[in-house]
Amino acid sequence: MKFDEIIEILGEFGPYQKRLYYLLCLPAISCALQMLVTVFTLSIPDHRCHLPDPYNDTSYQPRDLLHQLYVNHSIPRDTDGKWSSCQRYDVNLTKVTARTMIDVNVTRSRCNRWVYDTSTFKDTFITEQNMICDDALFRSHANMITMAGLLVGAFGFGILSDVIGRKLGLLASISVHIVGSIATSFSPNFTVFVICRFFTGASNAGAFMSAFVLGLELVGPSKRTFAGIVIEFFWCIGLFILSIVAYFIRDWSTLQLAISVPSVLLLAIFWFIPESPRWLVSHDKTEKAELILRKAAEVNKVELPVKLFDKDTLDSGPQAKVHEMFTSPVLLIRSLIIFFNWMVVSMVYYGLGLNVGNLGGDIYVNFTIANIVETVSYFLCILLLDRWGRKALHCTSMLLGGIACILTIFPVLYLDKSYEWITITLSMVGKLGASAAFAVIYVFAAELFPTITRNSAMGFSSFCARVGGMMSPYIADLGTIVKGDFGTALPLLVFGGASVAAGLLSLLLPETLNQTLPETIEDAKQFGRKNNKSKYHMNTTAEEGRGGKYELKEKF
């Protein structure tokens, strides 16, 4: 029997699988906490140059009229009316009086000490390390290194879980996740911080991947789309927890520690979950696999055949290399469009998440609204994915989000601060589109690639997504380089333009819903030219590959 046939007899998503699957979704909560905590810990509050020591300049806002006099005479104003963040006048404050006027030709110098606005944050890692002005790009570097950790971790822990097993792979990644995230809170400098964040990112990919695969390998084919999206709700739970904890804890290191210590509880999962039977069968450990499956059958109240396995149980047929997808113009164009969409959807999703602090308004309110919007997008995907089809839903999501982001240029440039809510609303519509597209792209791409190249092609798609993720911090921080109103809109314009381009290109792809999916390279060349209904429907978010492995839908 094929393994999926065994699962169908067992029950595609019976009580036993549900119990394990929802337990294995718990690491997604901690992964979400660690991925987007930098929205708060690396936030850049308003700041200005520090006055000389004798003037007791300890608060950003002047504490009295005399203090205000000294600040106004020492700090230039930017075009937006705020005090300059990085420059001060070269003036002698001992000669300042209430009637003294600043000469517009007076020289300016760069700051070497700063005063920060503590009305929103007691402190952040940025304020502690003074990563501003000439060092402003260090924040982008820190977020990029975390994304690079995801790239390394996905491959490293993926190989490890294939070698030592899903369960031990999960234990290893959770252990690194705990150590890396807790150690981050004690980072004394930038170097230590980014090293800890790199390992946290790598372990995030490993924990999410191992838990997801382990849970999904017991789920039947018809339930994999549902199961693949359900884990996103646990991700959203993590984001809601983060917004609440960050609201009450305004010190960056305490916040980091508060969201990291509870991850120790994830080690308890190890005692309640079995190894993946599919992995055991692929490594000729059929006796252990059969014990697990028969226990599952007992819980699900079904009876399995006497003989479960043979040499062809996990045989997935011939395989081919991904470069064979580039052997014809039609396949080359489709592959490049898919890879570009993967890169853009990851870039926009993480970029909009990191850009929340740059929108204006209350960062905690904005972050919570973004989380609500993301949750709604996943509900819409469950409702519409099998009704509208993959192409229609993906293209609509990308265009909706992209156009909304582009439209922010109008309220930012032509309306005053009282209309800031319009910019925030448009950004949230962009987040809705990006989140929905992230949920759809995996299913759509997996069904477009022929079976014999699906594993390797999805692996390369995942690589493109991580490249997009590594680009996102620099785009999100364009506003720190380009000052003024246009700087606020610029990241959204880039994200919006990329989304619209990717969405329009996806129209060149064929629809896969209810179609006979391609098995070979030749099938892929002909796919979309005939409008025949399928004999079967690959309703999955994880497709069986060589040796029983699964490619998976990743938030990373």
Side-chain angles (χ1 to χ4, degrees):
M1 296 177 65
K2 295 295 185 183
F3 196 89
D4 281 342
E5 294 174 354
I6 298 174
I7 296 299
E8 289 175 4
I9 298 173
L10 184 65
E12 293 196 74
F13 201 37
Y16 182 82
Q17 292 102 313
K18 289 178 181 177
R19 184 188 309 169
L20 289 180
Y21 180 77
Y22 292 126
L23 187 63
L24 287 164
C25 283
L26 295 178
I29 297 175
S30 187
C31 289
L33 289 169
Q34 296 302 329
M35 279 306 302
L36 290 176
V37 68
T38 53
V39 170
F40 304 101
T41 59
L42 294 182
S43 185
I44 304 177
D46 289 336
H47 53 280
R48 59 170 174 78
C49 291
H50 185 275
L51 302 184
D53 285 334
Y55 298 96
N56 191 29
D57 188 22
T58 57
S59 60
Y60 178 78
Q61 296 294 340
R63 60 184 178 277
D64 53 40
L65 290 177
L66 182 60
H67 189 202
Q68 184 171 356
L69 178 68
Y70 288 148
V71 172
N72 287 338
H73 278 73
S74 300
I75 311 299
R77 295 275 185 176
D78 290 332
T79 54
D80 59 3
K82 291 184 177 180
W83 286 305
S84 173
S85 301
C86 305
Q87 293 184 327
R88 66 182 302 272
Y89 289 125
D90 292 326
V91 295
N92 187 347
L93 292 181
T94 61
K95 298 181 179 180
V96 169
T97 67
R99 295 185 177 183
T100 305
M101 299 295 291
I102 290 294
D103 183 353
V104 294
N105 295 317
V106 71
T107 59
R108 301 184 183 191
S109 60
R110 305 289 288 179
C111 306
N112 54 20
R113 293 178 63 189
W114 291 266
V115 178
Y116 297 93
D117 184 359
T118 57
S119 60
T120 302
F121 303 101
K122 180 181 177 182
D123 70 355
T124 68
F125 188 74
I126 298 292
T127 64
E128 184 179 287
Q129 301 294 322
N130 290 322
M131 287 164 37
I132 51 177
C133 298
D134 293 338
D135 295 329
L137 272 180
F138 277 69
R139 178 170 78 161
S140 302
H141 297 336
N143 283 319
M144 182 275 291
I145 290 171
T146 303
M147 298 294 177
L150 296 178
L151 176 63
V152 173
F155 287 107
F157 282 106
I159 294 172
L160 183 67
S161 66
D162 283 341
V163 173
I164 67 174
R166 315 300 195 213
K167 185 175 178 179
L168 289 177
L170 177 61
L171 176 63
S173 56
I174 287 177
S175 299
V176 176
H177 177 84
I178 292 169
V179 174
S181 59
I182 293 177
T184 301
S185 61
F186 299 103
S187 301
N189 54 53
F190 178 77
T191 302
V192 175
F193 182 86
V194 295
I195 290 174
C196 292
R197 288 292 296 169
F198 176 86
F199 282 104
T200 301
S203 61
N204 270 16
F208 192 98
M209 176 177 58
S210 299
F212 185 84
V213 172
L214 184 53
L216 215 63
E217 286 185 341
L218 275 176
V219 176
S222 70
K223 300 296 183 181
R224 289 177 191 150
T225 294
F226 173 80
I229 294 178
V230 163
I231 195 171
E232 304 293 0
F233 292 106
F234 284 81
W235 175 275
C236 291
I237 290 171
L239 297 182
F240 281 114
I241 292 172
L242 176 59
S243 62
I244 294 171
V245 176
Y247 180 81
F248 289 103
I249 301 178
R250 306 296 179 99
D251 170 74
W252 83 268
S253 59
T254 306
L255 171 61
Q256 178 67 41
L257 191 62
I259 64 169
S260 301
V261 170
S263 62
V264 174
L265 298 175
L266 293 176
L267 293 173
I269 294 176
F270 184 76
W271 303 106
F272 296 100
I273 59 173
E275 181 54 86
S276 165
R278 189 185 292 266
W279 181 86
L280 289 171
V281 172
S282 70
H283 286 72
D284 296 323
K285 300 180 180 180
T286 55
E287 292 183 1
K288 292 182 179 180
E290 185 164 349
L291 285 175
I292 295 169
L293 290 172
R294 294 202 180 278
K295 180 181 178 181
E298 183 179 342
V299 173
N300 290 353
K301 295 181 170 51
V302 298
E303 192 170 323
L304 294 176
V306 175
K307 183 178 180 181
L308 291 181
F309 309 120
D310 60 34
K311 64 179 181 179
D312 296 322
T313 295
L314 291 179
D315 180 22
S316 57
Q319 298 291 314
K321 300 297 183 182
V322 69
H323 66 77
E324 295 185 41
M325 287 292 293
F326 307 142
T327 57
S328 75
V330 64
L331 296 185
L332 174 62
I333 292 172
R334 286 179 183 176
S335 298
L336 293 178
I337 291 173
I338 295 169
F339 297 150
F340 180 67
N341 270 266
W342 269 94
M343 183 181 71
V344 170
V345 76
S346 178
M347 178 185 74
V348 175
Y349 174 84
Y350 281 113
L352 290 177
L354 295 173
N355 193 53
V356 163
N358 303 326
L359 293 176
D362 188 285
I363 187 173
Y364 300 100
V365 173
N366 292 347
F367 191 77
T368 302
I369 294 174
N371 299 340
I372 294 172
V373 165
E374 184 169 350
T375 305
V376 170
S377 74
Y378 298 140
F379 276 113
L380 292 176
C381 287
I382 290 178
L383 292 175
L384 301 176
L385 192 59
D386 289 336
R387 290 183 173 88
W388 283 16
R390 283 67 162 123
K391 181 169 77 170
L393 186 55
H394 178 74
C395 180
T396 301
S397 299
M398 295 294 280
L399 292 179
L400 174 67
I403 292 172
C405 288
I406 292 173
L407 290 177
T408 58
I409 190 68
F410 297 104
V412 168
L413 293 185
Y414 302 112
L415 299 177
D416 58 38
K417 294 293 183 181
S418 63
Y419 292 93
E420 205 169 54
W421 63 272
I422 299 179
T423 304
I424 296 172
T425 300
L426 289 171
S427 176
M428 295 306 161
V429 175
K431 182 67 181 290
L432 174 74
S435 300
F438 214 139
V440 175
I441 186 61
Y442 186 89
V443 180
F444 191 22
E447 292 177 345
L448 280 170
F449 290 122
T451 301
I452 62 172
T453 65
R454 189 168 290 128
N455 256 9
S456 52
M458 290 304 294
F460 194 80
S461 296
S462 182
F463 173 81
C464 293
R466 290 180 177 84
V467 171
M470 292 170 68
M471 295 166 57
S472 64
Y474 295 98
I475 300 173
D477 285 345
L478 284 174
T480 64
I481 301 172
V482 180
K483 300 296 183 181
D485 291 338
F486 184 71
T488 301
L490 185 56
L492 295 171
L493 289 176
V494 176
F495 293 138
S499 293
V500 169
L504 291 175
L505 285 172
S506 71
L507 291 174
L508 300 176
L509 300 173
E511 178 57 71
T512 61
L513 179 64
N514 295 327
Q515 300 299 312
T516 302
L517 301 182
E519 295 285 345
T520 66
I521 296 295
E522 191 59 36
D523 289 343
K525 292 178 182 178
Q526 300 300 321
F527 186 66
R529 298 180 182 180
K530 299 178 182 179
N531 199 26
N532 59 308
K533 295 294 180 180
S534 67
K535 299 176 183 177
Y536 67 94
H537 181 136
M538 194 191 79
N539 191 14
T540 83
T541 45
E543 175 68 8
E544 187 178 355
R546 184 185 304 180
K549 292 199 298 182
Y550 271 78
E551 286 292 345
L552 66 152
K553 177 178 179 295
E554 298 180 48
K555 178 60 66 176
F556 308 112

